Amino acid sequence: RVQFGLEDWEERLIASDPGFTEPSPTSRLDAFFPDDESLRFTEYNAETPAGAGYNDALSTVFYGLPVMRRFLRRYDVRPLPARHGVLRGLLDAYEQRAGRREPPSIAILDWRDVPTFSEFLLFRDYFRDQGIACEIVDPREVEYRNGRLQAGDFAISLVYKRVLLSELVSREGIDTPVLRAVRDRAVCMVNPVQCKLLHKKTSLGRAERRAERRPVRRRGVARHRGAHPLDPAGGGAAHHIPRGAGGSDPVHAPVARASGPQAQR
């Protein structure tokens, strides 16, 4: 853990057991296409990955566009829904911790003024459509008393944490009601504090250095590695994925996967 440069408060919080095995039930790899030949990874977002709700909403919007109707005449297009995967990750963690299967009461936790608040609304409505009680909650609105975390009259059993831990601690302190409830195992929080180890920018560099110890992995790293200007401070490198062996060049879109004879041209 020393290699990740954890803050003192991170060390203290990581020591608590979240009650489930996966340190990042929800995560996202950030990548970009620098040219037509490669894909480079710049970050593993293991703490508060956004975008799944927007992905599903945009899929619906795209399907209704006239240009997509013309596109569908030539290509086979299938949406790649994401919200159900987020919910599954939340429920799996909650069931592991509780030791039984029961519907939780979910609080989507973040500040009210963040630009991603609109996505919280998408998730709230989706969770409610699945029969799960859910509210969007600002960390400053919660109370922890008598072993229960509450936002007004809403009793919280599962925190879908979208607030950054560093912001939460800097604004509210390490003894904020949410973190006290987590330490006391009064609530389940996803992603847990343990996600900080993976979320640190040095995680890709650490994985690369471990791979260097074995010849087979070292060759794989050498093949897929690419330099990145943000790398020197973090000690890692962006990861490079070349075009497929057959030279295929699939149609890339943020909300759908297209296939068919024309999609490979």
Side-chain angles (χ1 to χ4, degrees), residues 1 42 55 62 68 87 202 247:
R1 299 205 314 225
T42 58
N55 173 86
F62 268 55
M68 278 300 295
L87 179 58
T202 54

Side-chain angles (χ1 to χ4, degrees), residues 1-55:
R1 299 205 314 225
V2 174
Q3 300 178 58
F4 289 90
L6 297 177
E7 301 287 344
D8 290 343
W9 64 266
E10 291 174 324
E11 286 280 6
R12 289 176 57 189
L13 293 176
I14 282 176
S16 62
D17 180 11
F20 49 91
T21 57
E22 177 57 55
S24 292
T26 67
S27 61
R28 187 191 71 228
L29 278 167
D30 293 342
F32 67 98
F33 293 94
D35 50 51
D36 292 337
E37 302 292 331
S38 58
L39 171 67
R40 293 183 180 179
F41 290 99
T42 58
E43 179 187 12
Y44 177 49
N45 190 325
E47 184 177 355
T48 58
Y54 291 138
N55 173 86

Side-chain angles (χ1 to χ4, degrees), residues 1 36 40 68 82 98 111 117 123 144 165 194 202 215 228 262:
R1 299 205 314 225
D36 292 337
R40 293 183 180 179
M68 278 300 295
W111 317 111
F117 188 85
F123 270 110
Y144 180 48
L165 281 167
Q194 287 70 20
T202 54
H228 189 271
Q262 298 296 325

Side-chain angles (χ1 to χ4, degrees), residues 39-184:
L39 171 67
R40 293 183 180 179
F41 290 99
T42 58
E43 179 187 12
Y44 177 49
N45 190 325
E47 184 177 355
T48 58
Y54 291 138
N55 173 86
D56 293 358
L58 285 172
S59 294
T60 302
V61 171
F62 268 55
Y63 264 100
L65 295 177
V67 67
M68 278 300 295
R69 290 196 290 271
R70 295 195 297 271
F71 190 80
L72 284 165
R73 297 179 189 136
R74 301 180 60 190
Y75 301 101
D76 176 23
V77 179
R78 294 179 296 278
L80 300 174
R83 278 179 296 186
H84 75 287
V86 172
L87 179 58
R88 185 70 263 165
L90 293 172
L91 295 180
D92 284 347
Y94 182 75
E95 290 168 10
Q96 283 185 51
R97 182 189 171 282
R100 60 187 182 277
R101 179 168 295 186
E102 62 182 17
S105 298
I106 299 178
I108 302 174
L109 190 75
D110 206 346
W111 317 111
R112 290 279 179 184
D113 57 353
V114 294
T116 51
F117 188 85
S118 57
E119 188 182 32
F120 305 160
L121 296 171
L122 295 171
F123 270 110
R124 183 200 62 186
D125 294 347
Y126 175 75
F127 293 159
R128 289 177 176 179
D129 288 344
Q130 306 308 307
I132 298 174
C134 181
E135 296 290 346
I136 303 169
V137 176
D138 188 295
R140 295 163 293 193
E141 299 172 353
V142 300
E143 293 182 297
Y144 180 48
R145 61 179 185 272
N146 301 322
R148 294 168 64 89
L149 186 68
Q150 294 195 209
D153 295 331
F154 184 70
I156 302 166
S157 60
L158 172 58
V159 174
Y160 176 25
K161 186 187 72 63
R162 293 293 297 263
V163 63
L164 289 169
L165 281 167
S166 57
E167 288 187 4
L168 182 62
V169 171
S170 65
R171 293 192 191 186
E172 301 297 311
I174 197 171
D175 289 321
T176 181
V178 172
L179 296 180
R180 284 195 290 115
V182 169
R183 291 200 298 271
D184 291 348

